Amino acid sequence: MNLSRFFEVERHHSTVKREILAGVTSFFTIAYIIIVNPLILADAGMPYYGVLLATILTSVAGCFFMGFYANAPIILTPGMGVNAFFTYTIIQGMGLSWREALAAVIISGILFLIIASTKLKDILSESIPASLKHSITVGIGLFLAFIGLQKGGIIEASTTTFVKLGHLSHPTTLLTIVGLIITLFLFSRNIKGSFLIGIAVTCLIGYATGWAHGAEDTHAKMELAPFMQLFFGADFKGMLSLPFWIATFSLTMIVTFENMGLLHGLLPDQKKFPKAFQANAVTSLISGIFGTSPTISTVESAAGISEGGRTGLTSVVTGTLFFASIAVTPFLSMIPDGAIAPVLIIIGGLMVQNIQHIPLSDFTEGFPAFLIIALIPLTYSIVDGLAFGFIAYPILKMAVGQRKQIPAPMYIIALLFLINFVFHSFI
C-alpha cells in the first residue's frame, strides 16, 4: 500500500515520516489509559485483565476506523471521566450491574450512531455559535494543562483551597520541571519530534536520578478468559427500569456532545467532522460489545497534531502501537507521569491561543464562552462545561432581545442539558 497516496499525505502538506512520528507521540501520551481504565472499571466488579484487553482492542478498532474511514489524526480510546461516570454513577450510584451498564453503552452507541449518520449531526454542529466552538478549544486546552500540572505534581489537592502549589522538591515534580524545560527548548527551536524526544529524554533522566515512578501496577498481563466474560456480555433485562434509561440518556448526551466539542476543538480540517463523528459513534457502540466504557476523542490527540499529524495515518500508527502493546504492557506502565506532564502543559498553552477569536466585548457571546472555558477544567468534565455555556447562551440572548440570533436547535440542546442536570440531581 502506498501510504502517502492512500492517506493523501502530500495534499495535507505533510509527510509519511511526520505522520508516523505524530502517531508514536500520540501513543506514548495516551498509553496510560491501558493501565488506568481497567483500574477504574475494576471498581465496578469487572475483571481487571479482561478490561485491560478490552481497552486495547477497543482503542485499536477506534484508531483504525478513524484513520481509514475519516482520515483524521484523532485518537479514540475509552474516555477518562466517562469511565468514572460508568463505574461510580451508573453502577455504584444507580445500582445497575456492570452487564446492564454495558447494555446501556450499546444502546447509547446506537442512538449516537443514528445522530451521527443523519442530518441531526449537521443541525447540531451548525447551530453551535462560533464563539462557543472557539471556547471549547480554549477550555480543552486549560483542561489539558490542568491534567498535566496535576500529573506532574506542580499542583495538588487542598482541603481548604481545592488546589495548591505542589511540593517542588518531590521527585515527580522535579522530573516534570526538568522535562518541561527540555521539551520547551526543543519545541521552541522547531525540532521535529520535540514531544517524543522530550518524553524519551525525561524518562532516561528520571530513571538515572531515581525520580521516576511509573504506574503502580507493573505486572499487567493478557488473559483471554476474563475478556470472554466481557465480550458480548451485556444484559438487556434492565431495559424495563427507569434507572437504565436515565443512564442511557446520560451516556448519549456525554458521548454525543463531548465528542462533538472535542472534534470542533481538535480537528485541523473541520471538513472531516462528519466522518470523524461517525467513527466516534461506531467505536462507542463497539465499546459496549467489547466490554468497556464508551470511547472519546482524546484530548491527547493534540500531542500528535502538534507534532504535525494531519491525516489518518497518525491514528493508524497509534492503533498499531496499541495492538503491539499487548506484548509490552508492563513496560508502558513504567513511563513516569513526569515525562508525560510537560507535553500536556505545552499543548494546553497552544490551544488557549484560540481565545483571541472570541468576541469578548459582546457580553452575550463572551460570557457563555467564559463559562465553558472556566468550567471544563474546574468541573473536570468537558460535557458539564459545555452544558453551562450552552444553557447560558440562549438565556443571555433572550435577555437583551436578540432571540433571532439564536439557532432553533440551540434551544433544544440547552433544554437537553438542563434535563440531564435534573436527572442527576435525583441520582
Side-chain angles (χ1 to χ4, degrees):
M1 178 189 293
N2 187 317
L3 294 177
S4 180
R5 183 179 301 172
F6 183 86
F7 291 102
E8 300 180 315
V9 172
E10 292 183 2
R11 186 176 71 82
H12 290 83
H13 307 290
S14 186
T15 65
V16 171
K17 180 180 178 180
R18 188 182 302 161
E19 296 292 315
I20 292 174
L21 182 61
V24 174
T25 301
S26 290
F27 173 75
F28 280 104
T29 308
I30 191 59
Y32 70 87
I33 198 68
I34 298 174
I35 306 299
V36 176
N37 193 56
L39 288 174
I40 293 175
L41 267 59
D43 286 345
M46 301 173 74
Y48 175 88
Y49 292 115
V51 178
L52 190 101
L53 186 54
T55 299
I56 291 175
L57 294 180
T58 303
S59 300
V60 171
C63 290
F64 278 16
F65 203 82
M66 181 65 74
F68 287 114
Y69 177 70
N71 197 20
I74 302 296
I75 310 307
L76 293 176
T77 71
M80 291 298 294
V82 68
N83 53 9
F85 178 80
F86 177 90
T87 295
Y88 304 117
T89 300
I90 294 179
I91 296 173
Q92 294 186 5
M94 301 173 65
L96 273 67
S97 69
W98 62 259
R99 292 185 183 278
E100 290 172 333
L102 288 178
V105 171
I106 291 174
I107 294 177
S108 68
I110 293 172
L111 295 174
F112 182 16
L113 184 57
I114 291 172
I115 293 170
S117 303
T118 62
K119 290 184 178 180
L120 281 173
K121 71 175 182 303
D122 300 317
I123 294 171
L124 292 175
S125 178
E126 292 170 3
S127 66
I128 301 174
S131 61
L132 299 190
K133 289 180 180 179
H134 289 305
S135 69
I136 293 169
T137 304
V138 178
I140 292 171
L142 285 177
F143 188 34
L144 207 55
F146 189 46
I147 293 172
L149 292 168
Q150 282 183 305
K151 276 181 171 291
I154 295 176
I155 60 174
E156 62 181 31
S158 168
T159 56
T160 55
T161 60
F162 295 104
V163 292
K164 64 178 182 179
L165 184 67
H167 297 283
L168 299 184
S169 60
H170 190 278
T172 297
T173 311
L174 288 171
L175 184 61
T176 300
I177 293 171
V178 171
L180 185 59
I181 293 171
I182 292 170
T183 310
L184 278 172
F185 177 82
L186 295 170
F187 183 79
S188 62
R189 301 278 296 182
N190 294 318
I191 294 175
K192 298 299 182 184
S194 55
F195 291 150
L196 188 58
I197 295 171
I199 291 172
V201 173
T202 306
C203 279
L204 291 175
I205 293 174
Y207 283 102
T209 58
W211 292 346
H213 297 282
E216 293 182 4
D217 191 317
T218 58
H219 303 289
K221 58 183 177 180
M222 295 302 159
E223 295 181 1
L224 190 59
F227 171 69
M228 295 310 296
Q229 296 178 40
L230 303 172
F231 188 56
F232 280 104
D235 181 0
F236 292 90
K237 293 179 182 177
M239 290 180 65
L240 299 177
S241 69
L242 180 61
F244 179 90
W245 287 105
I246 292 176
T248 301
F249 174 76
S250 298
L251 281 173
T252 304
M253 288 285 291
I254 290 171
V255 296
T256 300
F257 288 102
E258 185 161 349
N259 280 307
M260 181 176 289
L262 283 160
L263 290 176
H264 279 309
L266 295 171
L267 268 179
D269 183 359
Q270 286 296 317
K271 292 179 181 178
K272 296 183 178 182
F273 172 81
K275 286 191 173 183
F277 199 46
Q278 291 166 5
N280 271 286
V282 171
T283 314
S284 183
L285 173 58
I286 290 173
S287 301
I289 295 172
F290 279 5
T292 182
S293 52
T295 51
I296 296 292
S297 294
T298 66
V299 290
E300 288 83 0
S301 301
I305 294 170
S306 295
E307 282 286 18
R310 293 294 180 271
T311 74
L313 180 55
T314 293
S315 304
V316 170
V317 169
T318 302
T320 303
L321 291 175
F322 265 115
F323 186 76
S325 70
I326 292 176
V328 296
T329 300
F331 297 100
L332 293 177
S333 65
M334 295 174 65
I335 301 174
D337 285 341
I340 301 298
V343 175
L344 301 180
I345 295 168
I346 294 171
I347 294 170
L350 293 173
M351 295 179 72
V352 168
Q353 295 177 13
N354 269 49
I355 199 169
Q356 62 188 310
H357 302 303
I358 301 172
L360 296 174
S361 57
D362 182 346
F363 189 74
T364 63
E365 297 282 340
F367 189 73
F370 161 74
L371 288 177
I372 291 174
I373 292 168
L375 290 171
I376 284 179
L378 294 180
T379 61
Y380 221 78
S381 168
I382 293 171
V383 73
D384 287 340
L386 294 180
F388 278 95
F390 281 35
I391 292 171
Y393 189 86
I395 291 174
L396 280 175
K397 288 294 184 182
M398 287 189 292
V400 298
Q402 296 179 358
R403 288 194 298 265
K404 293 183 179 179
Q405 293 186 20
I406 309 171
M410 273 298 294
Y411 290 107
I412 299 173
I413 295 172
L415 181 60
L416 289 173
F417 275 123
L418 190 59
I419 292 172
N420 196 45
F421 278 148
V422 171
F423 277 163
H424 283 290
S425 67
F426 290 103
I427 294 176

